[in-house]
Structures are given as structure tokens and as C-alpha cells.
Amino acid sequence: MNEILLDASSLKWLVCDRLYQFKACYGLQTAKNSEAFFGSAFHKYAELKVSDSKKAETYMLSYTGTEKSLFMVACMEFDSVSLPKPILFNSLPCCEHRFKVPYKTLSDGCVVYLCGTLDRVGINDAGILEVIDYKTTRKWDKSKFFTEYFHDFQMLFYYWILQKYGHYVLSKEYADLAAERKHAIRVLGIFLTKKPIDFDLGPNIIFEQSYLNEFSELLDTTITSKIRIIWDMYRRNVIASPTGIVVNKCLACEFNIFCRFSNFSGALSLDSKPYNPMTHGL
């Protein structure tokens, strides 16, 4: 194993050593539910809309998921939403902008990378660098919906990445803004239960420097040490412990039935590869 790829999703899996090993090392993924499929398809449409309107329209019309009429309405309504114009990176608009940042080289030579995908990056009227993250939802209470993201790990991860490693992710003039903390994360809520579908851009999400420092220290010590151990167990074909039981995460876990009966042969016999956030969802 020459590299380990970490993104916001895989870091969340560390609530349980076994969950992380199954999903990140073995690459075991459950089938997307209809809502997740809907959200992924909308992200793709939003990306195409910026680069090629005709391809975006073709993609919308060829959608094969559930609630096609709702999907088409969401796409058409999105066209009228006012958002900052995407900045450019290597002459391409920063929409569904994937990044891979070298983070640490372990003693065995394995390189740890931090990865992710930014839905849209632009500059607002106040000169602030904004990362817009699209979230489809069936929740009704907008205030409660947006408040949840002020404490969301993904938002923290993106904010921290841009401030500390922005020059790997964006061109210099925009990375400099993030280094000076002139950046923010905003959630574009796509409220599917509203009639008509409602798009609303939430308030700026900004994290205190002390909080970012704590996250940086945690990632540098506890998390990377834990990840290294789990990957070493994977290479030795040793199943990691179900540590999620300590924090009461087992009941809702997608692998609960395998753990309950210690039946790993069926799941691990699948022809799977380690999770790759740089290609996942493409």
C-alpha cells in the first residue's frame, strides 16, 4: 500500500475501527438509496450546467432514478438561483473541484493524502472566498437544517483544508484569501418538500482558529496513528475490532449483521478495492 486517501467521509468512519476497515480498506459500499442517488445526480447536473448547458440538459432528460419529474423541476429551478460565479483553476471553473493534498509520509514510506470535492467555489460581492456545498433535503424547518451544518465535520474539514493547504487546492490569489481567513463555507439547501422546490443559501460558516488548531492536532496524532494500525491489520488479513459499540454506533451500522454473527467471509469475499475518494461517485 503506497498511499492512504482520507476525505471527510472516511474520517467519519473512524467512529468504529471495523467500519473504517470495511469501507476504506476493503472498499465495501452499500447500494445508494434513492435520495442519495437523487443528490449525486443533481450535483452532476450542476457541474455540467456551468461547463456545457447542452450536456446538462441531455443529462437531465436521461435521468433514470426515482422521481424524475421532481429531478427535472429541481434542475430547471436551479438555473434561476443566484450564486457567485465559479473561480477558475487551470482554466476550468471550480465546480465539483476535486483535490488531493499530500499530508504526511509514514515511516514505512506510505503517503497519506487529504482528498475531497468542492461543489462550487466563487467570490462574493464582499470579496470573500465562498465554498458552496449543495444539500438536497426533505426537511421542512430551514433554520434547524442550516444550524446543523455549523457543527458539521465536512464543513470543518473543507474550511481547515483551504486555510492550511489552499495552495494545493486553488490558484495562488484565492489560496491567499483562505490563508488570511477570508473564506467561508455556505450550504445551498434544496428543499424538495416545498411547493415549488425552494433553493435557499444559508449563512456563512466560519470556524474559530482555536477549533481549527485542535482539529489539526487531532488529525496529526490520534487519527493518523489509528488509521495506520487499521491499514496494517488489513494487510495482515486481521479484522479490526468493532469499537463503535463503545459509542453506541452499532445498531444503525450497515454492517451490523456481519458483526453480530461474526460472518465476514461473505462480505470480504467480494471483489472489492480500497475506497478512492478521487473516483468515488464518478
Side-chain angles (χ1 to χ4, degrees), residues 117-259:
T117 303
L118 305 177
D119 292 347
R120 186 186 185 108
V121 186
I123 300 289
N124 68 16
D125 294 339
I128 300 297
L129 183 75
E130 287 188 345
V131 175
I132 310 296
D133 197 77
Y134 308 140
K135 299 294 184 187
T136 55
T137 179
R138 297 180 187 275
K139 294 181 179 179
W140 188 263
D141 189 329
K142 287 186 179 182
S143 177
K144 185 177 180 180
F145 169 78
F146 286 123
T147 299
E148 290 174 355
Y149 285 103
F150 276 89
H151 311 285
D152 185 81
F153 182 81
Q154 181 187 14
M155 306 301 120
L156 168 63
F157 182 71
Y158 287 161
Y159 191 92
W160 175 80
I161 280 281
L162 289 180
Q163 182 183 333
K164 192 162 184 176
Y165 297 99
H167 289 83
Y168 286 96
V169 182
L170 305 173
S171 57
K172 184 179 184 305
E173 61 178 306
Y174 303 117
D176 287 346
L177 288 175
E180 297 168 5
R181 289 174 55 84
K182 295 178 181 178
H183 68 305
I185 314 295
R186 299 187 75 180
V187 171
L188 176 65
I190 302 145
F191 296 88
L192 301 176
T193 53
K194 306 283 186 178
K195 303 297 180 185
I197 292 175
D198 192 11
F199 288 78
D200 200 355
L201 196 57
N204 286 349
I205 300 174
I206 298 173
F207 294 92
E208 295 293 333
Q209 188 60 51
S210 58
Y211 196 38
L212 298 173
N213 292 341
E214 289 178 9
F215 173 75
S216 186
E217 183 178 347
L218 179 65
L219 187 65
D220 191 49
T221 55
T222 308
I223 294 180
T224 48
S225 297
K226 187 175 186 179
I227 287 171
R228 183 179 180 181
I229 292 171
I230 296 172
W231 276 98
D232 181 63
M233 295 177 71
Y234 164 72
R235 286 191 286 265
R236 293 185 287 111
N237 292 317
V238 176
I239 301 297
S241 299
T243 55
I245 195 170
V246 178
V247 289
N248 197 30
K249 295 292 184 180
C250 291
L251 188 60
C253 178
E254 60 204 276
F255 299 111
N256 177 278
I257 192 168
F258 294 110
C259 290

Side-chain angles (χ1 to χ4, degrees), residues 72-133:
M72 293 180 67
V73 170
C75 292
M76 290 185 286
E77 290 293 330
F78 175 72
D79 297 346
S80 62
V81 177
S82 178
L83 296 173
K85 182 180 178 180
I87 61 173
L88 299 180
F89 182 78
N90 291 337
S91 301
L92 296 174
C94 281
C95 294
E96 295 300 305
H97 178 56
R98 294 178 184 256
F99 60 84
K100 182 179 179 181
V101 175
Y103 174 65
K104 176 179 286 191
T105 301
L106 304 179
S107 58
D108 60 1
C110 181
V111 181
V112 179
Y113 291 92
L114 303 175
C115 309
T117 303
L118 305 177
D119 292 347
R120 186 186 185 108
V121 186
I123 300 289
N124 68 16
D125 294 339
I128 300 297
L129 183 75
E130 287 188 345
V131 175
I132 310 296
D133 197 77

